[in-house]
Amino acid sequence: MTTLVIGAHGHVGQQIVQQLATAGETVYSGIRNAEQAATIQQLGGQARTVDLMGTAEALVPAMQGVDTVVFSAGSGGSTGDDMTLNIDLDGAVKAMQATELAHINRFIIVSALGTGDRAFWAKSSIRPYYVAKFYADEWLQHRTNLDYTIVRPGLLTNEAATGKITTNPGDDGTRQITRADVAATVAAIVKHPLPKQIVTIVNGDTPVDDAIEKL
């Protein structure tokens, strides 16, 4: 199994790379800056250039020899709403288009719990983020033929991994999950495909692999 992680240098992306590599998977890690390659190598991944500000066609070479594309990229909290649109929405859509151009079927995207609830957006201080996630998810479901899995984690924390989650607790964006447990969930879905599904996750009581295998 060979996976390309787009957004591999992000907080969740790095942990996805490390967990897949530790499990013996071949992991290509999409990065924009060459200086990030050393970090990727330390995690067990192999760096490939992925520029989400370019064209969909330009992303295809990074997808050669890949079975599954994981999109975990985000503009980050230090950028403006324009970059949220460019990366979290348009970058995601271009990654989907490139995946189809590369004749890859499997696409996993890290979205956000609360994305499906406009009432929640209205209460959030990062409404543009949820808007971008919503329309990226919509494109994936209705404008592609990919065997997608949409992972919608609760509010992300930097606490140590618990190894346990609750799946599909309801679209309440206020519940939490560690970034490490999000990465473990994505790694589990790479191993146990969940095509055409949306999976919401928060920290809970069920070991990650068991929770995914039951879906």
Side-chain angles (χ1 to χ4, degrees), residues 81 84 88 110-112 115 126-134 156:
D81 295 344
T84 300
D88 297 76
V110 179
S111 182
T115 293
I126 51 171
R127 180 187 175 101
Y129 169 82
Y130 287 103
V131 173
K133 292 296 186 187
F134 175 81
L156 301 177

Side-chain angles (χ1 to χ4, degrees), residues 114-123 134 152 171-172:
T115 293
D117 182 5
R118 282 190 171 90
F120 175 75
W121 305 355
K123 296 180 289 185
F134 175 81
R152 290 180 174 172
D171 212 10
D172 176 3

Side-chain angles (χ1 to χ4, degrees), residues 54-183:
T55 65
E57 290 77 9
L59 299 177
V60 173
M63 298 181 175
Q64 298 308 302
V66 168
D67 301 303
T68 303
V69 174
V70 173
F71 188 89
S72 184
S75 60
S78 61
T79 62
D81 295 344
D82 58 334
M83 289 305 294
T84 300
L85 288 175
N86 281 324
I87 302 301
D88 297 76
L89 176 51
D90 191 46
V93 169
K94 286 186 288 192
M96 298 169 203
Q97 294 171 328
T99 299
E100 292 192 303
L101 288 171
H103 305 292
I104 300 167
N105 292 321
R106 296 191 61 205
F107 191 96
I108 301 168
I109 189 169
V110 179
S111 182
L113 204 158
T115 293
D117 182 5
R118 282 190 171 90
F120 175 75
W121 305 355
K123 296 180 289 185
S124 170
S125 62
I126 51 171
R127 180 187 175 101
Y129 169 82
Y130 287 103
V131 173
K133 292 296 186 187
F134 175 81
Y135 285 104
D137 292 356
E138 285 288 298
W139 188 285
L140 181 56
Q141 294 173 84
H142 304 299
R143 298 289 296 271
T144 78
N145 293 311
L146 295 167
D147 286 335
Y148 64 82
T149 306
I150 298 170
V151 180
R152 290 180 174 172
L155 292 174
L156 301 177
T157 74
N158 290 319
E159 302 298 320
T162 69
K164 296 181 179 181
I165 60 173
T166 293
T167 59
N168 302 324
D171 212 10
D172 176 3
T174 64
R175 296 181 65 177
Q176 297 183 337
I177 186 168
T178 73
R179 286 179 167 86
D181 289 318
V182 175

